[in-house]
Amino acid sequence: MACENMTTEDALRRILPDIVAVDVQNDSVTRLCSRTPAECIMLVKAKEKK
C-alpha cells in the first residue's frame, strides 16, 4: 500500500493474521473480523472519480 496516513495500513497489518471471518455486503462493504470480538475492520469500496 502507498498511504500517506499509515494508520489504516498499520491496523490491517496487525489484524490480518487473526482474521477468522470475512463478510461482504453488496460488493461494496467488506468486514474483516478477528478472533477478538472487539477487533474488526470495515472496508468500504471507494467511489470512482469522474
Side-chain angles (χ1 to χ4, degrees):
M1 295 174 125
C3 304
E4 290 181 21
N5 181 344
M6 297 297 289
T7 303
T8 302
E9 186 172 344
D10 291 340
L12 283 169
R13 186 181 356 223
R14 185 177 47 81
I15 198 174
L16 281 177
D18 294 326
I19 295 300
V20 295
V22 176
D23 180 28
V24 179
Q25 301 170 354
N26 298 328
D27 191 38
S28 61
V29 176
T30 302
R31 184 174 174 180
L32 308 174
C33 301
S34 77
R35 290 184 192 108
T36 306
E39 289 187 330
C40 73
I41 292 182
M42 187 171 292
L43 306 170
V44 179
K45 186 176 183 179
K47 294 182 180 178
E48 287 187 41
K49 293 182 182 179
K50 293 182 180 185

